[in-house]
Amino acid sequence: PALAHSPLQKSDPADGSVGPAPASFTVSFAHPARLTSLQLKTPAGDTQAIRGLSKTPAASHTVAAPKLTPGRYELQFRAVAD
């Protein structure tokens, strides 16, 4: 069987959000997908891998956020639809 990508429908915090540090990150897809990578780009430009990703395909994934200091962060992910 071929693997495919499912488009991102929503994220929380939303793209471009400004506010207090979140307790968790949520990404929601059009179809069930398996997160294969979730990384946080820090204000210093380093990339921090978020561990503990579920191997089960789902339309929405919520993962606890690490403790964050003030600054601009970018959440990067890869997902594969089944």
Side-chain angles (χ1 to χ4, degrees):
L3 298 177
H5 296 277
S6 181
L8 180 69
Q9 294 292 301
K10 181 173 103 169
S11 65
D12 185 28
D15 189 21
S17 294
V18 176
S24 62
F25 304 117
T26 300
V27 289
S28 300
F29 302 98
H31 309 286
R34 184 174 44 88
L35 280 178
T36 59
S37 173
L38 190 63
Q39 299 179 334
L40 196 60
K41 187 172 181 182
T42 69
D46 300 324
T47 301
Q48 177 182 357
I50 306 295
R51 307 238 183 261
L53 304 179
S54 172
K55 296 183 188 310
T56 303
S60 183
H61 295 269
T62 299
V63 179
K67 184 174 172 84
L68 304 173
T69 58
R72 181 184 172 124
Y73 292 83
E74 180 180 320
L75 187 65
Q76 303 169 336
F77 67 89
R78 290 186 187 178
V80 177
D82 285 338

